[in-house]
Amino acid sequence: MATFYIIGTPIGNLEDITLRALRVLKEADIILCEDTRVTKRLLSKYNINTPTLSYHAQSKLSKVEKIFTLLEEGKNLALVSDAGTPCISDPGSLLVAQVCEHFKVGPLGSPRSDLGVSIIPIPGPSALVTALSSAGISVAEFTFLGFLPHKKGRETLFEEIAESKRVMVFYESTHRILKALESLEKFCGNTRHIIVAREITKIYEEFVRGTIAEVRAHFTQNPDRMRGEFVVIVGGSKIVNSKIFE
Ligand code: SAM
């Protein structure tokens, strides 16, 4: 019997990891890492010496076959990404799908397959949920767009954001945050309340809230704050300030 764990790890502050995640990382036979060097910083903080193996977006079929063999041998594997929850804008979903298919996991809703493999999630942080939790708007319903495409389809997505009554959330990098705010202003005008969550759980964490123009001005006037990692939340209703909860 082998278990394939999907483990959430910190998105910045290395203390943001559950006791269960630490125990499973310690007890697993092998940790599959997006980048072994990044994960080793976390492991060394908690004196975890479990062997690591890389698994990332470019991993070839031979790596997947090696992972199948390890599971067939009864090895317990733990999948982590560089930060946050694997498979959420990170590698892993294809591997989880391949493991489900290869080991016929849970065709009737059971997590354990007839071939003796279970897939068990160990929940942890994700920038998406953490940003939403402190956004200060009603987020009962939202649409997550992950990273927006750089070229083809980008404008269409901004049109969708402008038309949507739902809260829309996307991930953005340092290089594109200003462009994204410019496009938001172009497509949505100034009728939406947005929140940009930057460097969550890290030293320079900030949540910038306001109209698109106000948030854009904050970043253009403080170019040093255009660094780091960003989650952009676009309020769903076409109103601002006190009525944003409607
Ligand atoms: N799997 C991760 C998760 O569960 O949040 C997301 C990984 S994705 C490759 C990286 C993107 O997530 C960044 O470009 C940024 O948009 C967002 N992100 C990750 N950590 C963040 C943080 N500490 N603060 C703000 N955004 C973050």
Side-chain angles (χ1 to χ4, degrees), residues 188-204:
C188 305
N190 214 14
T191 55
R192 306 289 279 269
H193 185 92
I194 67 166
I195 299 98
V196 174
R198 177 173 87 95
E199 294 288 87
I200 309 167
T201 78
K202 304 185 201 176
I203 296 172
Y204 297 108

Side-chain angles (χ1 to χ4, degrees), residues 3 11 20 44 54 72 81 93 97-98 109 118 124 138 146 149 162-164 172 175 205 215 228 231 245:
T3 304
I11 55 169
R20 186 177 176 215
S44 76
S54 76
E72 276 154 13
S81 58
S93 347
Q98 287 165 321
S118 307
S138 172
E163 278 161 22
S164 175
E172 199 48 276
H175 311 294
E205 173 182 275
V215 172
V231 181
F245 283 88

Side-chain angles (χ1 to χ4, degrees), residues 34-54:
E34 182 181 3
D35 182 335
T36 53
R37 291 162 303 180
V38 173
T39 301
K40 275 183 179 157
R41 287 203 282 275
L42 174 70
L43 300 182
S44 76
K45 178 172 170 66
Y46 292 103
N47 299 316
I48 295 172
N49 300 309
T50 308
T52 57
L53 183 68
S54 76

